[in-house]
Amino acid sequence: MSAVTTRPVAVVTGGARRLGRHLCLSLAARGYDVVIVYRSSDDDARTLVQAIAATGRRARAVKVDVADKHAVAAAFAGIGAAEGRVDLLVNNVGNYNPQSVTALDPDVWDDTIAANLSGAYYCCYGALKLMPAGGHIINIGMAGLEGIRANTRGTDYYVSKTGLLVLTRALAAAYAPQQIRVNMVSPGQLENSVDLPPPEEISQWVPIGRSGTLDDIAQAVHYLLDAGYVTGQNLDVAGGYRL
Ligand SMILES: NC(=O)c1ccc[n+]([C@@H]2O[C@H](COP(=O)([O-])OP(=O)(O)OC[C@H]3O[C@@H](n4cnc5c(N)ncnc54)[C@H](OP(=O)(O)O)[C@@H]3O)[C@@H](O)[C@H]2O)c1
């Protein structure tokens, strides 16, 4: 994208692959121009820009490590110059490298908190400066955040997502007078989960009896986009997982 756009602009972090890619495509289909924030998947980012362009929307891929606050600030300065606005930010980066808390490497802890929580905040900070009334931030969480539980495997991830929920609510309360909403969508066991139980065991974990699809998550994002009076909420999209 070379000129400031008058169309709504969505910024999706971790947007080149998997859930983020699906959200980029569905947001483009809804009418957004899309800025795809990614870290290393150059080929996926390039093909996604092409796929969105083929639908008539504009797309631009921005390579940035969201854990680097200076790089994020530069990226949003670039978005200010190129697109001129951010109507929707989806904080989709959520690194999950599960290990027992009894052996949790401090470097893994630091990396998880930096990307999943601090990185999301850096992006909120950059996006909010470019966000008009009617804008929206959607943070991607994980199912079962309500009520603090012992999560002995992936504790760093759980802490990062719990912090993201706290951030969601604080920003929702603070920015509501400016007509900016902040919500969270929390997947459970998606069909591409690294932890997915075998099909014959899925109903032991997920009461509705199947894993979630990427479209299940996109539906929830689109619901929140339509639901203009909903802010500060965390929507589990998980088929009853971790109820
Ligand atoms: N999959 C599930 O079953 C599930 C369940 C519950 C919650 N969720 C949540 O749903 C979201 C998406 O999950 P996913 O499995 O699709 O994600 P993913 O494959 O783990 O990661 C998505 C992308 O995030 C990017 N990324 C990672 N660290 C980054 C950084 N520091 N800076 C910029 N980009 C970075 C990577 O981009 P590059 O490839 O360019 O490096 C990666 O492609 C996450 O928030 C996750 O916690 C997923």
Side-chain angles (χ1 to χ4, degrees):
M1 284 184 247
S2 55
V4 170
T5 177
T6 54
R7 291 195 295 240
V9 174
V11 177
V12 180
T13 72
R17 299 176 58 237
R18 291 166 56 88
L19 177 60
R21 186 183 190 90
H22 189 78
L23 294 177
C24 286
L25 288 165
S26 76
L27 291 168
R30 192 183 171 101
Y32 285 89
D33 290 345
V34 181
V35 179
I36 304 145
V37 173
Y38 75 105
R39 181 176 56 176
S40 59
S41 295
D42 298 315
D43 290 345
D44 293 291
R46 189 175 57 251
T47 60
L48 181 56
V49 167
Q50 291 166 350
I52 291 172
T55 71
R57 298 268 78 86
R58 297 200 294 180
R60 188 167 69 90
V62 178
K63 186 170 186 166
V64 58
D65 179 353
V66 298
D68 178 342
K69 65 180 172 222
H70 301 296
V72 172
F76 278 93
I79 291 168
E83 286 82 20
R85 57 192 289 163
V86 177
D87 296 273
L88 171 65
L89 167 67
V90 181
N91 278 310
N92 170 68
V93 167
N95 293 330
Y96 178 55
N97 300 296
Q99 49 190 273
S100 169
V101 71
T102 59
L104 180 54
D105 187 317
D107 286 340
V108 173
W109 170 277
D110 285 349
D111 289 349
T112 303
I113 301 298
N116 298 8
L117 180 55
S118 299
Y121 178 66
Y122 304 153
C123 291
C124 290
Y125 185 80
L128 282 162
K129 292 179 178 172
L130 299 172
M131 193 168 278
H136 200 167
I137 295 173
I138 298 180
N139 295 318
I140 305 297
M142 61 174 273
L145 289 177
E146 309 290 342
I148 305 291
R149 297 190 177 93
N151 275 256
T152 58
R153 190 165 175 274
T155 306
D156 52 333
Y157 177 80
Y158 181 59
V159 169
S160 74
K161 294 294 191 183
T162 302
L164 194 55
L165 176 56
V166 174
L167 177 64
T168 299
R169 295 218 165 113
L171 291 177
Y175 283 89
Q178 296 181 36
Q179 308 304 313
I180 289 173
R181 296 185 297 125
V182 188
N183 287 293
M184 177 176 261
V185 171
S186 287
Q189 287 282 356
L190 295 185
E191 58 197 2
N192 63 8
S193 168
V194 296
D195 275 349
L196 191 64
E200 64 276 14
E201 290 176 21
I202 192 86
S203 57
Q204 292 174 31
W205 301 93
V206 183
I208 219 162
R210 66 168 177 85
S211 57
T213 66
L214 301 183
D215 221 39
D216 288 325
I217 308 306
Q219 274 180 24
V221 167
H222 288 270
Y223 159 73
L224 287 170
L225 290 173
D226 287 334
Y229 201 53
V230 175
T231 194
Q233 299 306 302
N234 173 33
L235 183 56
D236 274 13
V237 184
Y241 177 62
R242 300 183 87 227
L243 269 181

